[in-house]
Amino acid sequence: MKLCRYILFVLTLIVCSAAHSQSNYFVHTVTKGQTMYSISRMYGVTQDTIIKLNPGSEIMIRVGQSLRIPQKSNEFHTIMAGETLYRLSINYKVSIKDICDANPGLSADNFKAGQVIYIPQAKKQEAKEENSNLSQAFLAVAQTELAESSTVLKDTTRYKTVYTVKGKESLSKIARIYGVTQAELIAANNNLSNSSLRPGLKVNIPYSTSEKKIKKNSLSKAEQQLLAMDNDAFIDAGRKALAKDIPEIINVSLLLPFHLDTIANADERKKMVEFYQGILMALDTIKHDGISVKLSVYDTGVDTANIDHILQDPEFGQSNIIFGPKYPSHIEQVAQFAAENRIINVLPLTSETEIVYNNQWIYQLNTPSSFQLSKIYDRFLSIIGPEAQVIFLNNLKDTVDNEFCTNLKPLLERNQIPYLTMVIDTPVYRFTDTLLVDTLDYEHIINNVFVINSPENTPLVNFLPIMQIINRTKHPYARTMLFGYPNYQTYASDLLDQLHEANTYFYTWFYNNTSQDNTLDFYERFRRSFMRQPMVSFPSFAQYGYDMANWFIRGYKKFGQQLGLYSNQVEYKPLHIGIALERISPWGGMINNKVFFVHLDRRFGTSVIDFENDPQYKLKFNIDNMLQAEPADNNSDSNTEYGY
């Protein structure tokens, strides 16, 4: 008897220990492009604490891999199979509205098992009248949405949702998914049996006994109907119901360091002035389209005390959109103010990214390339083709791979694309000997792709003459190309002919294509307005300001505060920059993940390849399982900025 009690006591300890252990962490599934650093910043924990729970993750992490993340204060929840917004709101004693507000990136597409969402702190009970009005507003919009999609609400006071049978499923399995008994399920469906289940059959899902009790005691009739809806209808319709009214006049605030009170920083001052002038040109264009804008301009200088003064300005508090500030020391204050007042805060002039991880109102335009690497690799593979060879080029003094090359090599291995590493000043005959050659019948077309292990000017200048000789002495059936970095456009004025002869591609999110009619028209308008041509910079600050203001103001006029949900529907095509916004997490801000390639071909033609809109370049590789190699001492993201 004592032995049985002892065994029972030990088992109880084991169960309690396991429960305690699981309550101290949640599970994150790695997605494409994520690194250990970005995941740690997303959840506000250190890389070391994640590594302790996940031995081996300090070497590499893989897309689809499950990582245990230490839970600080029950802030995050990993959605389990069959869970609904209703069930989460009951379990955490938080309203569905608060969950949706805290997770603006939550959608019917990503509300699924394995997705992590942020659970806000439970709020004090609101006034009954406010609750009732809110529920009625949600319900009215949701019912309209459902009617438009030919979905009928049937007995929503009795049934929680309607389930569509998928494949070979049993009543017991469906009952387990929704936390009801098999008897309750059968009773809600006219004595439905397993033999009558078939794919596509609609099954009423009743409330469990405990849920009915909660509903009866605490919810109004409108709320009962509301919470009976499925996640798809609620998430989409509920957001529209909560959308802030779009004002007739959009208030825009611009925060820039103009350096007007100093003789120094003349070049910086000119850049900021041109950025402002580009915005003014955009406002003139927008005005002719019937959109009214009030622009307030603030000189932030470099002192943080200036930001304190700006935040106290009542007019600044009326902003709908804030462009800026530039300096990281200013961003934290402004970003917090924007979050508290539900103002869209666009960061165009810095690649500072710490704020974007946990502030849903941040729109990060100048995104570090580390966020874009997976997309760049997709595009890279579609350009070079399945039968290619990559030749990495190192300087004698630079034998450590940069971030781009480090992550590219394991990807090439997974796609069985051979690569080798050579030194830039290797004799030409050795380069030509390594080149792979097309077959005579062109059944196998092979590209030999040179990638310099540095975006800097010097190694490029050193290699281009060598590549000229390679191309003039190589086998006629050997194809070559040079692949490079956004910096290459800054060297183009001096190296343009050589870059063309090298058949050069480089990735970027901005490019000044002077062959376009709209670019030439912009230059002419700028000259007429300001009696001079824009300065040469990368990016072009005048065009950047013009594109940014056009895109965001037009988007806000159509979608208001919900711009992040509908960013892919903004009707403006930028002439200089690429904009493709993605939310960094359901609770975080938006990052610009637009990437296109520029091709300088041997016929001295220049083309900008927009993969999303060019049917010629469909992705040919599935690299969802690409490796994300990451050194253990990687404690910061790349903060490379071009021309800022």
mmCIF file with all atom_site columns, all heavy atoms in Angstrom, residues 174-192:
data_model
loop_
_atom_site.group_PDB
_atom_site.id
_atom_site.type_symbol
_atom_site.label_atom_id
_atom_site.label_alt_id
_atom_site.label_comp_id
_atom_site.label_asym_id
_atom_site.label_entity_id
_atom_site.label_seq_id
_atom_site.pdbx_PDB_ins_code
_atom_site.Cartn_x
_atom_site.Cartn_y
_atom_site.Cartn_z
_atom_site.occupancy
_atom_site.B_iso_or_equiv
_atom_site.pdbx_formal_charge
_atom_site.auth_seq_id
_atom_site.auth_comp_id
_atom_site.auth_asym_id
_atom_site.auth_atom_id
_atom_site.pdbx_PDB_model_num
ATOM 1   N N   . ILE A 1 174 ? -14.525 15.059 -34.696 1.00 0.00 ? 174 ILE A N   1
ATOM 2   C CA  . ILE A 1 174 ? -15.070 16.420 -34.788 1.00 0.00 ? 174 ILE A CA  1
ATOM 3   C C   . ILE A 1 174 ? -15.453 16.925 -33.398 1.00 0.00 ? 174 ILE A C   1
ATOM 4   O O   . ILE A 1 174 ? -15.225 18.084 -33.050 1.00 0.00 ? 174 ILE A O   1
ATOM 5   C CB  . ILE A 1 174 ? -16.287 16.446 -35.736 1.00 0.00 ? 174 ILE A CB  1
ATOM 6   C CG1 . ILE A 1 174 ? -15.853 16.044 -37.154 1.00 0.00 ? 174 ILE A CG1 1
ATOM 7   C CG2 . ILE A 1 174 ? -16.928 17.831 -35.756 1.00 0.00 ? 174 ILE A CG2 1
ATOM 8   C CD1 . ILE A 1 174 ? -17.006 15.877 -38.129 1.00 0.00 ? 174 ILE A CD1 1
ATOM 9   N N   . ALA A 1 175 ? -16.023 16.048 -32.588 1.00 0.00 ? 175 ALA A N   1
ATOM 10  C CA  . ALA A 1 175 ? -16.413 16.437 -31.229 1.00 0.00 ? 175 ALA A CA  1
ATOM 11  C C   . ALA A 1 175 ? -15.189 16.844 -30.410 1.00 0.00 ? 175 ALA A C   1
ATOM 12  O O   . ALA A 1 175 ? -15.219 17.832 -29.663 1.00 0.00 ? 175 ALA A O   1
ATOM 13  C CB  . ALA A 1 175 ? -17.158 15.283 -30.554 1.00 0.00 ? 175 ALA A CB  1
ATOM 14  N N   . ARG A 1 176 ? -14.093 16.072 -30.547 1.00 0.00 ? 176 ARG A N   1
ATOM 15  C CA  . ARG A 1 176 ? -12.863 16.398 -29.808 1.00 0.00 ? 176 ARG A CA  1
ATOM 16  C C   . ARG A 1 176 ? -12.307 17.754 -30.236 1.00 0.00 ? 176 ARG A C   1
ATOM 17  O O   . ARG A 1 176 ? -11.821 18.530 -29.413 1.00 0.00 ? 176 ARG A O   1
ATOM 18  C CB  . ARG A 1 176 ? -11.807 15.315 -30.018 1.00 0.00 ? 176 ARG A CB  1
ATOM 19  C CG  . ARG A 1 176 ? -12.056 14.040 -29.247 1.00 0.00 ? 176 ARG A CG  1
ATOM 20  C CD  . ARG A 1 176 ? -10.776 13.198 -29.168 1.00 0.00 ? 176 ARG A CD  1
ATOM 21  N NE  . ARG A 1 176 ? -10.225 12.932 -30.488 1.00 0.00 ? 176 ARG A NE  1
ATOM 22  C CZ  . ARG A 1 176 ? -10.581 11.898 -31.250 1.00 0.00 ? 176 ARG A CZ  1
ATOM 23  N NH1 . ARG A 1 176 ? -11.511 11.047 -30.817 1.00 0.00 ? 176 ARG A NH1 1
ATOM 24  N NH2 . ARG A 1 176 ? -10.019 11.703 -32.432 1.00 0.00 ? 176 ARG A NH2 1
ATOM 25  N N   . ILE A 1 177 ? -12.344 18.044 -31.540 1.00 0.00 ? 177 ILE A N   1
ATOM 26  C CA  . ILE A 1 177 ? -11.805 19.302 -32.055 1.00 0.00 ? 177 ILE A CA  1
ATOM 27  C C   . ILE A 1 177 ? -12.484 20.503 -31.399 1.00 0.00 ? 177 ILE A C   1
ATOM 28  O O   . ILE A 1 177 ? -11.834 21.479 -31.024 1.00 0.00 ? 177 ILE A O   1
ATOM 29  C CB  . ILE A 1 177 ? -11.967 19.379 -33.596 1.00 0.00 ? 177 ILE A CB  1
ATOM 30  C CG1 . ILE A 1 177 ? -11.039 18.371 -34.280 1.00 0.00 ? 177 ILE A CG1 1
ATOM 31  C CG2 . ILE A 1 177 ? -11.681 20.791 -34.114 1.00 0.00 ? 177 ILE A CG2 1
ATOM 32  C CD1 . ILE A 1 177 ? -11.222 18.307 -35.791 1.00 0.00 ? 177 ILE A CD1 1
ATOM 33  N N   . TYR A 1 178 ? -13.819 20.399 -31.214 1.00 0.00 ? 178 TYR A N   1
ATOM 34  C CA  . TYR A 1 178 ? -14.567 21.550 -30.702 1.00 0.00 ? 178 TYR A CA  1
ATOM 35  C C   . TYR A 1 178 ? -14.928 21.442 -29.220 1.00 0.00 ? 178 TYR A C   1
ATOM 36  O O   . TYR A 1 178 ? -15.664 22.277 -28.699 1.00 0.00 ? 178 TYR A O   1
ATOM 37  C CB  . TYR A 1 178 ? -15.830 21.759 -31.538 1.00 0.00 ? 178 TYR A CB  1
ATOM 38  C CG  . TYR A 1 178 ? -15.525 22.340 -32.900 1.00 0.00 ? 178 TYR A CG  1
ATOM 39  C CD1 . TYR A 1 178 ? -15.397 21.525 -34.020 1.00 0.00 ? 178 TYR A CD1 1
ATOM 40  C CD2 . TYR A 1 178 ? -15.325 23.706 -33.053 1.00 0.00 ? 178 TYR A CD2 1
ATOM 41  C CE1 . TYR A 1 178 ? -15.101 22.063 -35.258 1.00 0.00 ? 178 TYR A CE1 1
ATOM 42  C CE2 . TYR A 1 178 ? -15.024 24.254 -34.284 1.00 0.00 ? 178 TYR A CE2 1
ATOM 43  C CZ  . TYR A 1 178 ? -14.910 23.426 -35.395 1.00 0.00 ? 178 TYR A CZ  1
ATOM 44  O OH  . TYR A 1 178 ? -14.601 23.963 -36.617 1.00 0.00 ? 178 TYR A OH  1
ATOM 45  N N   . GLY A 1 179 ? -14.421 20.428 -28.549 1.00 0.00 ? 179 GLY A N   1
ATOM 46  C CA  . GLY A 1 179 ? -14.612 20.330 -27.109 1.00 0.00 ? 179 GLY A CA  1
ATOM 47  C C   . GLY A 1 179 ? -16.041 20.054 -26.674 1.00 0.00 ? 179 GLY A C   1
ATOM 48  O O   . GLY A 1 179 ? -16.492 20.543 -25.635 1.00 0.00 ? 179 GLY A O   1
ATOM 49  N N   . VAL A 1 180 ? -16.778 19.294 -27.495 1.00 0.00 ? 180 VAL A N   1
ATOM 50  C CA  . VAL A 1 180 ? -18.144 18.915 -27.127 1.00 0.00 ? 180 VAL A CA  1
ATOM 51  C C   . VAL A 1 180 ? -18.213 17.391 -27.077 1.00 0.00 ? 180 VAL A C   1
ATOM 52  O O   . VAL A 1 180 ? -17.311 16.697 -27.557 1.00 0.00 ? 180 VAL A O   1
ATOM 53  C CB  . VAL A 1 180 ? -19.175 19.460 -28.150 1.00 0.00 ? 180 VAL A CB  1
ATOM 54  C CG1 . VAL A 1 180 ? -19.164 20.982 -28.157 1.00 0.00 ? 180 VAL A CG1 1
ATOM 55  C CG2 . VAL A 1 180 ? -18.915 18.921 -29.553 1.00 0.00 ? 180 VAL A CG2 1
ATOM 56  N N   . THR A 1 181 ? -19.301 16.876 -26.499 1.00 0.00 ? 181 THR A N   1
ATOM 57  C CA  . THR A 1 181 ? -19.456 15.417 -26.455 1.00 0.00 ? 181 THR A CA  1
ATOM 58  C C   . THR A 1 181 ? -20.054 14.934 -27.773 1.00 0.00 ? 181 THR A C   1
ATOM 59  O O   . THR A 1 181 ? -20.690 15.700 -28.512 1.00 0.00 ? 181 THR A O   1
ATOM 60  C CB  . THR A 1 181 ? -20.375 14.999 -25.304 1.00 0.00 ? 181 THR A CB  1
ATOM 61  O OG1 . THR A 1 181 ? -21.705 15.477 -25.563 1.00 0.00 ? 181 THR A OG1 1
ATOM 62  C CG2 . THR A 1 181 ? -19.881 15.574 -23.975 1.00 0.00 ? 181 THR A CG2 1
ATOM 63  N N   . GLN A 1 182 ? -19.850 13.646 -28.041 1.00 0.00 ? 182 GLN A N   1
ATOM 64  C CA  . GLN A 1 182 ? -20.401 13.077 -29.269 1.00 0.00 ? 182 GLN A CA  1
ATOM 65  C C   . GLN A 1 182 ? -21.926 13.104 -29.234 1.00 0.00 ? 182 GLN A C   1
ATOM 66  O O   . GLN A 1 182 ? -22.581 13.334 -30.257 1.00 0.00 ? 182 GLN A O   1
ATOM 67  C CB  . GLN A 1 182 ? -19.889 11.650 -29.448 1.00 0.00 ? 182 GLN A CB  1
ATOM 68  C CG  . GLN A 1 182 ? -20.237 11.044 -30.809 1.00 0.00 ? 182 GLN A CG  1
ATOM 69  C CD  . GLN A 1 182 ? -19.494 9.743  -31.067 1.00 0.00 ? 182 GLN A CD  1
ATOM 70  O OE1 . GLN A 1 182 ? -18.427 9.514  -30.515 1.00 0.00 ? 182 GLN A OE1 1
ATOM 71  N NE2 . GLN A 1 182 ? -20.075 8.890  -31.902 1.00 0.00 ? 182 GLN A NE2 1
ATOM 72  N N   . ALA A 1 183 ? -22.488 12.930 -28.055 1.00 0.00 ? 183 ALA A N   1
ATOM 73  C CA  . ALA A 1 183 ? -23.947 12.963 -27.913 1.00 0.00 ? 183 ALA A CA  1
ATOM 74  C C   . ALA A 1 183 ? -24.488 14.356 -28.239 1.00 0.00 ? 183 ALA A C   1
ATOM 75  O O   . ALA A 1 183 ? -25.539 14.491 -28.893 1.00 0.00 ? 183 ALA A O   1
ATOM 76  C CB  . ALA A 1 183 ? -24.349 12.560 -26.495 1.00 0.00 ? 183 ALA A CB  1
ATOM 77  N N   . GLU A 1 184 ? -23.788 15.416 -27.774 1.00 0.00 ? 184 GLU A N   1
ATOM 78  C CA  . GLU A 1 184 ? -24.218 16.787 -28.068 1.00 0.00 ? 184 GLU A CA  1
ATOM 79  C C   . GLU A 1 184 ? -24.153 17.056 -29.572 1.00 0.00 ? 184 GLU A C   1
ATOM 80  O O   . GLU A 1 184 ? -25.024 17.730 -30.142 1.00 0.00 ? 184 GLU A O   1
ATOM 81  C CB  . GLU A 1 184 ? -23.337 17.792 -27.317 1.00 0.00 ? 184 GLU A CB  1
ATOM 82  C CG  . GLU A 1 184 ? -23.571 17.807 -25.816 1.00 0.00 ? 184 GLU A CG  1
ATOM 83  C CD  . GLU A 1 184 ? -22.553 18.658 -25.072 1.00 0.00 ? 184 GLU A CD  1
ATOM 84  O OE1 . GLU A 1 184 ? -21.395 18.773 -25.571 1.00 0.00 ? 184 GLU A OE1 1
ATOM 85  O OE2 . GLU A 1 184 ? -22.895 19.202 -24.014 1.00 0.00 ? 184 GLU A OE2 1
ATOM 86  N N   . LEU A 1 185 ? -23.127 16.519 -30.209 1.00 0.00 ? 185 LEU A N   1
ATOM 87  C CA  . LEU A 1 185 ? -22.962 16.723 -31.651 1.00 0.00 ? 185 LEU A CA  1
ATOM 88  C C   . LEU A 1 185 ? -24.074 16.023 -32.427 1.00 0.00 ? 185 LEU A C   1
ATOM 89  O O   . LEU A 1 185 ? -24.643 16.587 -33.376 1.00 0.00 ? 185 LEU A O   1
ATOM 90  C CB  . LEU A 1 185 ? -21.590 16.201 -32.088 1.00 0.00 ? 185 LEU A CB  1
ATOM 91  C CG  . LEU A 1 185 ? -21.155 16.502 -33.519 1.00 0.00 ? 185 LEU A CG  1
ATOM 92  C CD1 . LEU A 1 185 ? -21.060 18.008 -33.759 1.00 0.00 ? 185 LEU A CD1 1
ATOM 93  C CD2 . LEU A 1 185 ? -19.802 15.845 -33.811 1.00 0.00 ? 185 LEU A CD2 1
ATOM 94  N N   . ILE A 1 186 ? -24.396 14.808 -32.034 1.00 0.00 ? 186 ILE A N   1
ATOM 95  C CA  . ILE A 1 186 ? -25.452 14.043 -32.713 1.00 0.00 ? 186 ILE A CA  1
ATOM 96  C C   . ILE A 1 186 ? -26.804 14.733 -32.537 1.00 0.00 ? 186 ILE A C   1
ATOM 97  O O   . ILE A 1 186 ? -27.582 14.866 -33.482 1.00 0.00 ? 186 ILE A O   1
ATOM 98  C CB  . ILE A 1 186 ? -25.500 12.598 -32.171 1.00 0.00 ? 186 ILE A CB  1
ATOM 99  C CG1 . ILE A 1 186 ? -24.219 11.841 -32.581 1.00 0.00 ? 186 ILE A CG1 1
ATOM 100 C CG2 . ILE A 1 186 ? -26.747 11.865 -32.668 1.00 0.00 ? 186 ILE A CG2 1
ATOM 101 C CD1 . ILE A 1 186 ? -24.096 10.466 -31.942 1.00 0.00 ? 186 ILE A CD1 1
ATOM 102 N N   . ALA A 1 187 ? -27.057 15.223 -31.315 1.00 0.00 ? 187 ALA A N   1
ATOM 103 C CA  . ALA A 1 187 ? -28.343 15.878 -31.035 1.00 0.00 ? 187 ALA A CA  1
ATOM 104 C C   . ALA A 1 187 ? -28.508 17.165 -31.841 1.00 0.00 ? 187 ALA A C   1
ATOM 105 O O   . ALA A 1 187 ? -29.633 17.531 -32.210 1.00 0.00 ? 187 ALA A O   1
ATOM 106 C CB  . ALA A 1 187 ? -28.453 16.184 -29.544 1.00 0.00 ? 187 ALA A CB  1
ATOM 107 N N   . ALA A 1 188 ? -27.406 17.857 -32.130 1.00 0.00 ? 188 ALA A N   1
ATOM 108 C CA  . ALA A 1 188 ? -27.469 19.118 -32.868 1.00 0.00 ? 188 ALA A CA  1
ATOM 109 C C   . ALA A 1 188 ? -27.625 18.899 -34.364 1.00 0.00 ? 188 ALA A C   1
ATOM 110 O O   . ALA A 1 188 ? -27.812 19.865 -35.114 1.00 0.00 ? 188 ALA A O   1
ATOM 111 C CB  . ALA A 1 188 ? -26.212 19.944 -32.592 1.00 0.00 ? 188 ALA A CB  1
ATOM 112 N N   . ASN A 1 189 ? -27.550 17.638 -34.819 1.00 0.00 ? 189 ASN A N   1
ATOM 113 C CA  . ASN A 1 189 ? -27.587 17.364 -36.257 1.00 0.00 ? 189 ASN A CA  1
ATOM 114 C C   . ASN A 1 189 ? -28.572 16.251 -36.616 1.00 0.00 ? 189 ASN A C   1
ATOM 115 O O   . ASN A 1 189 ? -28.281 15.378 -37.440 1.00 0.00 ? 189 ASN A O   1
ATOM 116 C CB  . ASN A 1 189 ? -26.172 16.995 -36.736 1.00 0.00 ? 189 ASN A CB  1
ATOM 117 C CG  . ASN A 1 189 ? -25.229 18.172 -36.690 1.00 0.00 ? 189 ASN A CG  1
ATOM 118 O OD1 . ASN A 1 189 ? -25.179 18.984 -37.608 1.00 0.00 ? 189 ASN A OD1 1
ATOM 119 N ND2 . ASN A 1 189 ? -24.466 18.276 -35.602 1.00 0.00 ? 189 ASN A ND2 1
ATOM 120 N N   . ASN A 1 190 ? -29.732 16.263 -35.944 1.00 0.00 ? 190 ASN A N   1
ATOM 121 C CA  . ASN A 1 190 ? -30.806 15.312 -36.277 1.00 0.00 ? 190 ASN A CA  1
ATOM 122 C C   . ASN A 1 190 ? -30.326 13.866 -36.273 1.00 0.00 ? 190 ASN A C   1
ATOM 123 O O   . ASN A 1 190 ? -30.498 13.117 -37.242 1.00 0.00 ? 190 ASN A O   1
ATOM 124 C CB  . ASN A 1 190 ? -31.426 15.652 -37.637 1.00 0.00 ? 190 ASN A CB  1
ATOM 125 C CG  . ASN A 1 190 ? -32.071 17.021 -37.644 1.00 0.00 ? 190 ASN A CG  1
ATOM 126 O OD1 . ASN A 1 190 ? -32.696 17.412 -36.662 1.00 0.00 ? 190 ASN A OD1 1
ATOM 127 N ND2 . ASN A 1 190 ? -31.908 17.753 -38.735 1.00 0.00 ? 190 ASN A ND2 1
ATOM 128 N N   . ASN A 1 191 ? -29.655 13.492 -35.153 1.00 0.00 ? 191 ASN A N   1
ATOM 129 C CA  . ASN A 1 191 ? -29.195 12.114 -34.972 1.00 0.00 ? 191 ASN A CA  1
ATOM 130 C C   . ASN A 1 191 ? -28.254 11.654 -36.093 1.00 0.00 ? 191 ASN A C   1
ATOM 131 O O   . ASN A 1 191 ? -28.358 10.537 -36.621 1.00 0.00 ? 191 ASN A O   1
ATOM 132 C CB  . ASN A 1 191 ? -30.387 11.156 -34.859 1.00 0.00 ? 191 ASN A CB  1
ATOM 133 C CG  . ASN A 1 191 ? -31.232 11.448 -33.630 1.00 0.00 ? 191 ASN A CG  1
ATOM 134 O OD1 . ASN A 1 191 ? -30.696 11.710 -32.547 1.00 0.00 ? 191 ASN A OD1 1
ATOM 135 N ND2 . ASN A 1 191 ? -32.544 11.429 -33.791 1.00 0.00 ? 191 ASN A ND2 1
ATOM 136 N N   . LEU A 1 192 ? -27.347 12.546 -36.457 1.00 0.00 ? 192 LEU A N   1
ATOM 137 C CA  . LEU A 1 192 ? -26.345 12.237 -37.476 1.00 0.00 ? 192 LEU A CA  1
ATOM 138 C C   . LEU A 1 192 ? -25.509 11.029 -37.050 1.00 0.00 ? 192 LEU A C   1
ATOM 139 O O   . LEU A 1 192 ? -25.190 10.869 -35.873 1.00 0.00 ? 192 LEU A O   1
ATOM 140 C CB  . LEU A 1 192 ? -25.438 13.461 -37.672 1.00 0.00 ? 192 LEU A CB  1
ATOM 141 C CG  . LEU A 1 192 ? -24.366 13.387 -38.753 1.00 0.00 ? 192 LEU A CG  1
ATOM 142 C CD1 . LEU A 1 192 ? -25.003 13.396 -40.138 1.00 0.00 ? 192 LEU A CD1 1
ATOM 143 C CD2 . LEU A 1 192 ? -23.413 14.577 -38.612 1.00 0.00 ? 192 LEU A CD2 1
#
